[in-house]
Amino acid sequence: MVDVPEVSTTSPSELIAAGRRHLAVKDYHAATEALATACEQLAKEHGELADECAEAYLWYGQALLGLSREENGVLGDGMPGTNNADEDDEENEDEEENGDEKENGDEKDSGEEEKADDNGEEKKAEIVEKIEAESTTEDAEPGPSEDNADEQPGTSNGETHDESVVDLENKDEIDNLQLAWEMLDLARNILEKRAEGSAATETKALLADVHLYLGEVALESETYDKAVTDMLTCLEIQKDLYGLDNRRIAETHYQIGLANSLASNFEDAILHFKNAANILETRIKTLESPNVATEDVSVKKYSANDPLYSIDGEIKELKSLLPEIQEKIQDMMDYKAETKKRLAETLCPSNGSSSFSGSNGSGSGAGSSSDKPAASDISHLIKRKRKNSEETASPAKRLNA
């Protein structure tokens, strides 16, 4: 009897729905499995660049982005592997202690090694005699020539070659972040073509989401200028779709501010963080109006899609986000002021050794050569501080709840 392989009876639409449910609860492993199968089925049925694949590519790219963040441990202490730093410190301490013991042991063993040298010389002489005897025997038998030796590698050479091939294959493997970018880029191409022939709001909303996720991928890849460009494109699309107090626009402003802060564009970062805060304040005032339940489109949508939604709950959530955004604004202002202060101290030090105020002519050259490294060091220190503050970027994901 021939075994017939099992065929999945789950349709792509059901797989996409399941994947989005897993995304909602941040189960990225399950989401990627379901959405990958959906993408594969749709690509086989319609073609890889078919319009039917756009949404599946979008959600699959989002799931891969979340999975990459989870594996890199940037989602907080609740993720696996967050205690590795403490374990590494303990291992390093153990290694240092073992190193000290080894040093003491080496001193004790030095005398024993000297005693063993004589015995070692005798053993070496015996080994040399055996090698000479074996070489004499091999000379009497025909063997491969030197020219053919390279063409017919031995077992050890063959194994080394196989290992190198395996290493190259591992290096060529695409990580989840790169794959996320590729899937999102495919979705962008398809949705841009769809938007050319249609002015549907849903298509533009999906295209805005694609650009936002592409910006987040660039943010994770530390290509901050590219992140800003993609997110600004998302912002322009959203402004045509939503009201000025929409939380999606606030989220995008926040993400653009974060990307600019990491790119040392403090002025732009402050501007977009302030825009995000202003939008939330406007949204709170809108929600506090008496007729918001019957007149506001967003409230109607949230109420229809989420039975647990309440206007008071949204107001409370937005008010909790404002202090965190204000803290970001203050951080950027502090970094900006610190940069100006350090640069001023570098150019005009208090001891009078500045390149502009030296009493003798020789001070100018020395001052200018020492200023540049100091400025570079200041920038490096500031970037390290921003890296630590990146972990507090959670408000962006809660703006569009």
Side-chain angles (χ1 to χ4, degrees):
M1 180 177 179
V2 179
D3 294 334
V4 179
E6 296 182 0
V7 179
S8 176
T9 58
T10 307
S11 66
S13 59
E14 292 174 335
L15 289 168
I16 292 175
R20 295 187 65 179
R21 286 195 298 269
H22 292 310
L23 274 176
V25 296
K26 298 183 179 181
D27 187 355
Y28 298 114
H29 286 278
T32 52
E33 290 179 2
L35 293 167
T37 305
C39 291
E40 184 179 1
Q41 291 182 4
L42 289 170
K44 287 182 179 179
E45 182 179 355
H46 304 285
E48 292 182 356
L49 299 179
D51 185 73
E52 292 82 357
C53 299
E55 286 82 354
Y57 290 161
L58 168 59
W59 302 120
Y60 185 36
Q62 183 185 0
L64 288 166
L65 173 61
L67 185 62
S68 176
R69 286 171 168 166
E70 183 178 282
E71 290 176 347
N72 291 333
V74 298
L75 295 182
D77 295 336
M79 303 313 303
T82 53
N83 295 326
N84 288 344
D86 296 335
E87 295 176 359
D88 291 341
D89 292 339
E90 294 177 359
E91 291 178 359
N92 292 336
E93 292 177 0
D94 294 339
E95 289 177 359
E96 291 177 359
E97 293 177 358
N98 293 335
D100 295 337
E101 294 176 358
K102 287 181 179 179
E103 290 179 359
N104 296 332
D106 290 341
E107 295 178 358
K108 297 178 181 178
D109 295 340
S110 59
E112 297 178 359
E113 291 178 355
E114 292 177 357
K115 296 179 181 178
D117 285 342
D118 296 336
N119 295 332
E121 293 296 335
E122 295 178 358
K123 291 181 179 180
K124 288 180 181 179
E126 295 176 0
I127 293 172
V128 169
E129 291 178 359
K130 290 181 180 180
I131 292 174
E132 290 177 351
E134 291 175 357
S135 61
T136 303
T137 305
E138 291 176 355
D139 291 338
E141 298 176 358
S145 63
E146 294 181 358
D147 296 336
N148 295 333
D150 295 335
E151 298 177 2
Q152 300 175 353
T155 305
S156 60
N157 292 336
E159 293 176 353
T160 304
H161 177 71
D162 292 340
E163 291 175 359
S164 64
V165 171
V166 173
D167 293 338
L168 289 174
E169 291 177 353
N170 292 335
K171 291 178 182 178
D172 291 338
E173 288 182 359
I174 301 176
D175 61 9
N176 290 324
L177 195 61
Q178 175 65 24
L179 185 57
W181 183 89
E182 292 182 1
M183 302 308 300
L184 291 169
D185 192 55
L186 281 172
R188 177 184 61 81
N189 291 328
I190 297 172
L191 290 171
E192 284 180 347
K193 292 180 181 179
R194 184 192 298 179
E196 291 176 358
S198 173
T201 301
E202 183 180 356
T203 299
K204 292 183 177 180
L206 290 172
L207 186 58
D209 289 342
V210 166
H211 280 287
L212 181 61
Y213 294 135
L214 282 170
E216 292 186 25
V217 170
L219 201 64
E220 294 295 324
S221 304
E222 300 183 1
T223 52
Y224 305 125
D225 293 339
K226 181 67 169 60
V228 171
T229 301
D230 282 319
M231 291 176 181
L232 285 173
T233 303
C234 168
L235 183 63
E236 292 302 317
I237 299 174
Q238 289 177 338
K239 286 181 178 180
D240 294 335
L241 296 176
Y242 309 121
L244 297 178
D245 64 343
N246 192 278
R247 294 175 63 174
R248 289 178 180 269
I249 298 179
E251 175 192 358
T252 304
H253 274 297
Y254 184 91
Q255 293 282 15
I256 296 172
L258 180 61
N260 276 303
S261 69
L262 295 173
S264 301
N265 301 326
F266 299 129
E267 290 284 355
D268 292 336
I270 293 171
L271 174 63
H272 285 283
F273 282 139
K274 285 184 176 181
N275 287 339
N278 291 336
I279 291 172
L280 294 187
E281 291 173 353
T282 302
R283 180 64 181 168
I284 291 172
K285 291 180 181 179
T286 301
L287 293 172
E288 290 175 345
S289 63
N291 298 326
V292 64
T294 57
E295 296 179 356
D296 189 83
V297 177
S298 298
V299 171
K300 292 179 181 179
K301 180 180 178 181
Y302 292 145
S303 300
N305 296 333
D306 186 1
L308 300 178
Y309 171 81
S310 68
I311 296 175
D312 292 337
E314 184 179 356
I315 293 174
K316 182 179 180 181
E317 181 183 4
L318 295 180
K319 286 183 176 180
S320 69
L321 293 173
L322 282 172
E324 299 181 44
I325 298 177
Q326 294 295 340
E327 184 180 354
K328 281 285 185 183
I329 295 172
Q330 187 60 49
D331 287 343
M332 293 301 101
M333 296 177 68
D334 291 343
Y335 291 146
K336 179 182 174 182
E338 182 180 356
T339 302
K340 289 183 176 180
K341 179 181 177 181
R342 295 297 179 87
L343 289 174
E345 291 175 352
T346 303
L347 296 175
C348 302
S350 58
N351 59 8
S353 61
S354 170
S355 59
F356 301 104
S357 60
S359 58
N360 52 7
S362 61
S364 176
S368 61
S369 63
S370 61
D371 289 343
K372 292 182 180 178
S376 176
D377 292 343
I378 292 170
S379 175
H380 178 66
L381 290 174
I382 293 173
K383 284 185 178 180
R384 289 177 61 187
K385 292 180 180 179
R386 288 200 309 277
K387 283 283 186 180
N388 293 335
S389 66
E390 184 180 353
E391 296 178 357
T392 62
S394 57
K397 288 303 170 189
R398 289 185 281 153
L399 290 173
N400 189 23

